Amino acid sequence: MTSEVGRSFDRQWAELAEIGRHAQTGGYRRYALTREDHDLREWFAGQATDRGLDLTLDRMGNQWAWWGDPDTIPGLVTGSHLDSVPDGGAYDGPLGVVSAFAALDRLRDSGVDPQRPLGIVNFADEEGARFGIACAGSRVITGALAPERALGLTDGDGLSMAEALRAAGRDPELIGPDPETLRRVGAFVELHVEQGRGLIDLDHPVALGTDIWPHGRWRLDFPGEANHAGTTRWADRQDAMIGLASTILAARAAATTHGCVATIGKTLITPGGVNAIPSAATGWLDTRGADEGAVRRTVAEVTAAAGDWGATVTEESWTATTRFDLDLLTRLRRALPAAPLLGTGAGHDAGILATAGIPTGMIFVRNPTGISHSPAEHAERDDCLAGVEALTAVLTELVGTGLAGAGP
Ligand code: GLV
Ligand code: MN
Ligand code: MN
C-alpha cells in the first residue's frame, strides 16, 4: 500500500465526514433526494471529474463514472451507495465508494493497462430510509420495482417520490428500467463494511461474499378508535397500540422459533397524543433468516398474530436468497487467496444486480464491534486500506486481464 493511496482515502473520507452528520447523535442522516443527498452526489461527480472519468446518470439517477467506454465492451463496476439509515454510521455505503476511487487511483499508479472499462457507481436510495423500499435505485433499473410504484411511494411527510424528484429538479417521467445501462455492466463487485462479527471470529481484515439471506419488509396496520385517555373505561377502548405491541412480541417469538430475526424499528402512531387512545398504529416489520421457508413461516405467524387484532399486513418488499456468481467468486479467490468466505444478513444493491443476472461479488471489510446502522459503526483505518488493497487486486485480476468467464 503506497502512502499516496492512504492519502487519497483520507482526503475523500475527510470531505465526506460532515455531510449529513447530526450534531447531537453523531450519526448520519443522508436520505434520498434531500440537500444532503445533493451534496453527496456533487461530491461523487467531482471525484469523477477530477479523475477524467465519464459521468453518466441512468433512468433512476444512479451515478456511473467510467474509465473507458462500456459501449464498446461491457466493463467491471465497483462502488456502493452514499445514503444512510436514520443516524447511520460513516462506513455503510461510503466505504465502498471511497475505496473504489482509491483503488482506481492505485491501479492507474501501478501502470495497469486495462483490457476492459472500469466503472464506479453510486447507487441512489439504497437504504430506503425515506420512501421505504431498500435498493430502490438498483431495483428500478433492473425492473424489480415498477416505476409507477416507486413514484407513488411517500415519505413521512406524505411527499411522493415523484414530487421529491421534481423538487430536486429531476423529471419523474424518466424513471424506469434501464437495460442500456445494465448492458454496460459485465460484472459488479461491491466492497462494504461488514455489518456483523464474522471477520472478528475469522481474525481477518477482508472476506469474500458468498450469499445474502432472504429478507423483506412488511407493513402492519392496526385499527383503533380515538378516545380520551382518562375517561374511557377498559371495556370501551379500541386501542390500536395494544395490537401492535402484542404483535411485536409475537414477531420475536416466531422468529426465535424459526431461527430467524425480526425487527420492528419504525412505527407510526395516530394521532400521537399522550392523552389520546391511538386510533391507528402502523409498524414496519423487517424479517430475515438463512432459510427462505423459515422466513416465510415467521411472517405467516406474525400475520396471524396481527390478524387477531384486525390488522392488515402488506408486503412492501421481498428479496429471495441471493448467491453470488461462482465463476466470478473463483476469479476473486484467485486475486485474494487468503480471504475467507462469508455470507450476510444485510441487503445490498449487489444482491439486486445478482438477481438480475449480472455476475456479482462482494468484499467485506472487518468491523471491530460488528455494530452497524448506528453512529457507533466503525472500521479501523488499516483494515480500510487492506480493503482498498484487496479491491485493487480484484480490479487488476478482472480488468487487467479481461472478464473472461465473468461477462454476460
Ligand atoms: C441494508 O443495509 C439492509 O440490510 O437493510
Ligand atoms: Mn445499510
Ligand atoms: Mn450498505
Side-chain angles (χ1 to χ4, degrees):
M1 173 66 55
T2 63
S3 55
E4 184 48 45
V5 168
R7 277 196 291 276
S8 159
F9 185 92
D10 293 342
R11 190 172 50 244
Q12 294 182 64
W13 207 251
E15 287 168 3
L16 288 174
E18 290 311 313
I19 304 178
R21 189 155 187 267
H22 192 261
Q24 269 81 51
T25 67
Y28 288 93
R29 300 182 180 182
R30 296 165 165 172
Y31 309 141
L33 301 170
T34 60
R35 175 82 224 171
E36 292 74 24
D37 190 32
H38 170 269
D39 292 350
L40 291 161
R41 292 167 65 81
E42 287 287 294
W43 175 85
F44 183 92
Q47 296 301 308
T49 307
D50 288 350
R51 291 169 173 80
L53 307 176
D54 295 325
L55 184 68
T56 63
L57 290 189
D58 63 27
R59 292 191 58 197
M60 187 56 182
N62 303 304
Q63 294 175 294
W64 304 79
W66 283 104
W67 179 25
D69 179 3
D71 287 322
T72 52
I73 184 168
L76 172 71
V77 178
T78 184
S80 189
H81 63 96
L82 293 173
D83 66 316
S84 79
V85 296
D87 285 337
Y91 297 81
D92 177 359
L95 185 63
V97 176
V98 167
S99 299
F101 283 120
L104 180 138
D105 293 344
R106 178 123 165 80
L107 206 64
R108 282 177 160 175
D109 287 350
S110 71
V112 164
D113 179 23
Q115 306 295 301
R116 297 276 171 143
L118 175 60
I120 297 180
V121 65
N122 170 28
F123 278 112
D125 201 5
E126 193 270 355
E127 300 287 6
R130 182 170 178 192
F131 296 105
I133 306 271
C135 300
S138 54
R139 280 188 208 268
V140 166
I141 61 164
T142 57
L145 174 60
E148 50 280 9
R149 178 156 178 240
L151 292 171
L153 295 170
T154 51
D155 67 10
D157 295 327
L159 201 76
S160 71
M161 187 186 285
E163 290 167 319
L165 279 163
R166 270 189 224 102
R170 305 241 306 271
D171 181 0
E173 296 292 316
L174 296 177
I175 300 305
D178 196 336
E180 196 181 324
T181 288
L182 296 174
R183 256 199 309 277
R184 297 176 179 143
V185 186
F188 177 55
V189 178
E190 180 170 0
L191 179 146
H192 204 281
V193 68
E194 202 210 334
Q195 297 175 283
R197 302 178 57 86
L199 277 165
I200 304 173
D201 297 343
L202 291 163
D203 192 23
H204 213 273
V206 296
L208 289 168
T210 51
D211 61 288
I212 298 178
W213 278 5
H215 58 282
R217 294 181 183 185
W218 291 263
R219 177 183 168 129
L220 282 45
D221 287 299
F222 293 83
E225 185 179 73
N227 213 331
H228 194 287
T231 58
T232 314
R233 294 175 302 190
W234 286 119
D236 296 334
R237 290 179 182 231
Q238 290 171 49
D239 183 341
M241 183 65 116
I242 305 300
L244 174 58
S246 164
T247 304
I248 290 171
L249 296 177
R252 183 181 170 101
T256 304
T257 301
H258 297 297
C260 298
V261 287
T263 307
I264 295 181
K266 177 178 164 185
T267 59
L268 180 64
I269 310 303
T270 308
V274 177
N275 54 355
I277 294 168
S279 59
T282 299
W284 281 266
L285 169 75
D286 177 311
T287 306
R288 315 182 189 209
D291 178 69
E292 231 167 89
V295 176
R296 287 297 187 187
R297 282 191 289 282
T298 299
V299 174
E301 285 182 23
V302 177
T303 303
D308 289 346
W309 296 92
T312 54
V313 177
T314 311
E315 183 174 298
E316 293 202 328
S317 62
W318 169 251
T319 306
T321 306
T322 307
R323 296 196 200 291
F324 293 125
D325 187 85
L326 280 180
D327 289 340
L328 180 59
L329 185 59
T330 303
R331 298 285 299 276
L332 299 182
R333 295 190 80 177
R334 201 182 300 163
L336 301 174
L341 302 179
L342 206 59
T344 180
H348 300 285
D349 294 301
I352 306 300
L353 262 54
T355 302
I358 292 174
T360 296
M362 288 194 76
I363 298 170
F364 294 117
V365 172
R366 177 164 52 196
N367 177 331
T369 60
I371 292 177
S372 187
H373 285 186
S374 152
E377 179 188 80
H378 183 65
E380 296 295 342
R381 181 175 181 272
D382 280 355
D383 286 353
C384 293
L385 296 187
V388 175
E389 186 77 348
L391 184 59
T392 306
V394 161
L395 301 186
T396 305
E397 163 74 17
L398 295 176
V399 173
T401 59
L403 284 169

